Amino acid sequence: MTPLTSWKDKALFTPGPLTTSRTVKQAMLRDMGSRDSEFIEIVRDVRRRLVALCAEPDEYTAVLMPGSGTYGVEATLSSVIPPEGKLLLLINGAYGERMHKIANVQHIQHKALSFAENVQPDPEALRQALDEDPDISYVAVVHSETTTGIINPIEIYGPIVKSHGCIFIVDAMSSFAAYPIDLKACGIDFLVSSANKCIEGVPGFSFVLARKETLLATRGFARTLSLDLLAQWEGLESDGQFRFTPPTHVVLAFHQALLELEQEGGIPARVERYRQNYEATLAAMLAFGFEPYVERTKRGYIITSFYYPDHANFDFKTFYQKLSDKGSIIYPGKLTHANCFRIGHIGRLTLSDVDALIAAISETLREMNISLPARVED
Ligand SMILES: *Cc1c(COP(=O)(O)O)cnc(C)c1O
């Protein structure tokens, strides 16, 4: 087997799990008791640091929930809406659709407002839906729809949701820590993200940033035992512990990742690095002749979808494999109406990784005998 010290993993240009720093991985080389004071102190610091990234600690709190990001979304939707509550879902991609599936499985009364994958949910349609149906008391939307890389304007939805007295739930899985989000200014009551996205930890838990007052008013609403958000919070607040076995190694890695976020210069520095990765990738892809799926003004810098080029020699599996053989992992598309693949810009990646990716794409296109006219964007 390859010894750890000479091991260079392939760079992950994906939506997660992402490339992490060596020191984040090394933080896991410990066996820590889940009820030990050292671990409890680390959990406390993780929760404190998460809130400090986006809100005032007397107004907001952080709940850690084992499982991937979807578990955090399901924990929130299934724990904070009472039987008589009605949820409005704004959908423009696979992750919005996933919330819809959760609402169905959990028997949450709901209404879905669906939009095409390349457009943002229309704020006027939101306003109208809330005006027309006073039973709606909750609104949920995805911030960065990782399906396409489109960014939905939560800062515009928030005030509309609040002016109708509704509770606002945001899946910010792939944008938290990569976009500055002010929870209060956006009127967010519950924001969900996970350990293995832009904080650059490893997979194993999700976290929910909750307005305390709203969370405390959800007693008795939980539809499950293990995903009960309020009960999980109460455990963390009372003795600092998870109710059930915590992913100790993952929490240690995440704590290290939060320290490294601070060392890098916080969210502004991370925004800058990801944006540079995106701009460099985009410029090269346009020069190669690839066409982005989402229009520039709506596109985020988290992940970009590109159409399969209209060329007889293009085959995604071959393209993917050749890039992988050269050390760069890209990602398939997830669209219902268009053939696309995706390139992520997040994780512990810098311009030198992007340069390696661009060189690999250039070589691969040559090997596949694909030559396309360059594109220009305004
Ligand atoms: C990654 C992601 C999720 C969670 O997916 P998991 O596979 O459960 O981690 C949810 N929503 C969005 C927008 C995501 O990018």
Side-chain angles (χ1 to χ4, degrees), residues 164-284:
H164 288 77
C166 296
I167 285 168
F168 193 26
I169 300 167
V170 175
D171 169 349
M173 207 70 63
S174 66
S175 54
F176 186 76
Y179 275 80
I181 300 174
D182 180 332
L183 292 184
K184 190 174 185 176
C186 292
I188 298 172
D189 293 280
F190 299 98
L191 176 146
V192 189
S193 186
S194 81
N196 63 280
K197 300 243 170 157
C198 299
I199 304 276
E200 300 183 353
V202 304
F205 69 88
S206 56
F207 54 88
V208 181
L209 290 155
R211 189 194 292 276
K212 273 185 208 168
E213 203 185 315
T214 321
L215 176 65
L216 283 166
T218 63
R219 188 169 307 281
F221 296 173
R223 290 159 164 87
T224 73
L225 175 75
S226 59
L227 296 178
D228 184 334
L229 198 65
L230 180 61
Q232 182 76 355
W233 178 79
E234 285 176 326
L236 290 167
E237 285 289 305
S238 63
D239 57 10
Q241 299 182 10
F242 283 57
R243 289 171 304 153
F244 313 123
T245 306
T248 46
H249 302 78
V250 178
V251 173
L252 294 176
F254 191 72
H255 185 245
Q256 176 64 25
L258 282 168
L259 298 178
E260 292 179 15
L261 172 62
E262 182 175 287
Q263 283 157 15
E264 185 177 352
I267 292 176
R270 192 143 296 184
V271 167
E272 200 44 39
R273 179 161 58 85
Y274 288 171
R275 200 192 277 282
Q276 282 178 5
N277 290 346
Y278 159 71
E279 293 289 353
T281 305
L282 178 70

Side-chain angles (χ1 to χ4, degrees), residues 43-60:
V43 170
R44 198 195 59 80
D45 195 48
V46 161
R47 295 179 62 220
R48 184 186 64 75
R49 285 174 181 274
L50 283 174
V51 173
L53 288 175
C54 57
E56 290 297 328
D58 47 344
E59 258 185 288
Y60 284 87

Side-chain angles (χ1 to χ4, degrees), residues 74-91:
E74 186 149 19
T76 305
L77 294 179
S78 68
S79 298
V80 308
I81 306 174
E84 68 279 10
K86 186 168 179 183
L87 171 68
L88 177 70
L89 294 157
L90 301 178
I91 302 172

Side-chain angles (χ1 to χ4, degrees), residues 13-17 95 303 316 320 329-334 340-344:
F13 296 92
T14 69
Y95 293 99
I303 191 165
F316 178 71
Y320 173 92
I329 301 283
I330 62 166
Y331 215 64
K334 204 178 188 158
C340 283
F341 64 88
R342 289 176 283 176
I343 299 182

